[in-house]
Amino acid sequence: MALASVNLTKNQKTVLDILENSSEPLKAYTILFDIQKKGIKSPLQVYRALDKLIEIGKVHKIESRNSYVACKHEGCNAKTSTSFLICENCDSVTELTGNNLISYFSKQAEKNNFNYKKHNLEIFGLCENCKLKN
Amino acid sequence: MALASVNLTKNQKTVLDILENSSEPLKAYTILFDIQKKGIKSPLQVYRALDKLIEIGKVHKIESRNSYVACKHEGCNAKTSTSFLICENCDSVTELTGNNLISYFSKQAEKNNFNYKKHNLEIFGLCENCKLKN
DNA sequence: CTTAAAATGTTATATTATAACATTACAATA
DNA sequence: TATTGTAATGTTATAATATAACATTTTAAG
């Protein structure tokens, strides 16, 4: 079986590759336009690759921006939950890790008799670089 | 000046009214179809009303669902930040309030030298009713 | 009243995402 | 290796979500 990445297909590898080499989140149609040389011609091919990559946790979607970002954490367990710091100035994105968020949210949910399963968290503000510049 | 709601225009009132009387979040085009009798004919009229209502904090957007929900908290200060519990079974939505989340996120952000401004949080799972049924 | 800002009405179009269906690749196993 | 079932692909069309542009009207403040 080996690592999930070993099993990626051509289209999936192509899409993951462009995301991993991007310094910022990309939109589906941006990905499409950037890789039309590599045989991917239709939106659906991009979306299907993204779906799979998200499913195995190699890519996360940033909901508020309709953008996609490659996960940098080897063996990231965020197949479902994601937590991001998003810079409003330069659009850079940092992923928060660690389970302390999950246990915190579980408790918050419990107070409302709600059974926690997963979450999306997007924190907006200024990254270190942009803080210094302003 | 008085309360923000006093200053709402006809279209804004119409859109807010349908959201406040809905038991669940609504999509923009659902709102449009539901209120065409009241003189709203184009998507833009709905989106403009929504933009304004979001700006004054009477409505929040649920990013992962492209849906909109009326805020039930009198004088809600969540003009920008939002925190929701979303039931995966029945799609009901509960808004979390209180500033403890904000101070928690500020600290998490600071650990990454990130200057917190606002956030969107969406927690998915089972609401109290659906927990009991399953 | 006047005037400036905000909201409206309308048409067109941009952006994001999925449906449907025929075909191909591929791994498990009989 | 032949079979077979699952996943992935390729392709066309279309659905769903959201904004641009611009002329006009309403509104509230001075």
Side-chain angles (χ1 to χ4, degrees), chain B residues 9 11 42 44-45 48 52:
Chain B
T9 65
N11 285 358
S42 82
L44 201 43
Q45 292 174 292
R48 285 200 283 225
K52 184 67 181 182

Side-chain angles (χ1 to χ4, degrees), chain B residues 21-86:
Chain B
N21 288 297
S22 170
S23 61
E24 54 186 21
L26 297 177
K27 287 168 174 274
Y29 278 75
T30 304
I31 294 172
L32 176 60
F33 295 144
D34 286 354
I35 60 181
Q36 289 191 323
K37 290 175 187 170
K38 301 194 178 173
I40 290 185
K41 290 173 185 167
S42 82
L44 201 43
Q45 292 174 292
V46 173
Y47 282 108
R48 285 200 283 225
L50 286 171
D51 284 347
K52 184 67 181 182
L53 292 166
I54 288 169
E55 185 189 324
I56 64 177
K58 301 294 283 183
V59 166
H60 305 311
K61 180 174 184 182
I62 300 176
E63 294 287 355
S64 66
R65 306 256 169 129
N66 297 317
S67 294
Y68 303 86
V69 64
C71 182
K72 291 170 182 164
H73 309 116
E74 194 60 43
C76 180
N77 65 348
K79 285 184 178 50
T80 50
S81 293
T82 52
S83 307
F84 297 109
L85 299 173
I86 303 172

Side-chain angles (χ1 to χ4, degrees), chain A residues 36-54:
Chain A
Q36 288 191 325
K37 291 175 187 171
K38 301 195 177 173
I40 290 185
K41 292 174 186 170
S42 82
L44 201 42
Q45 292 173 292
V46 173
Y47 281 108
R48 285 199 283 225
L50 286 172
D51 284 348
K52 185 64 179 183
L53 292 167
I54 288 170

Side-chain angles (χ1 to χ4, degrees), chain A residues 62-73:
Chain A
I62 300 177
E63 294 287 353
S64 67
R65 306 257 168 128
N66 298 316
S67 293
Y68 303 85
V69 64
C71 182
K72 291 170 182 162
H73 308 116

Side-chain angles (χ1 to χ4, degrees), chain A residues 1 4 10 30 36-37 43 46 56 61 64 67 70-71 78 99 111-112 118 126 128:
Chain A
M1 34 160 298
K10 182 170 150 291
T30 303
Q36 288 191 325
K37 291 175 187 171
V46 173
I56 65 176
K61 181 176 183 181
S64 67
S67 293
C71 182
N99 292 324
K111 285 183 192 169
N112 292 268
K118 63 179 184 180
L126 286 179
E128 191 167 11

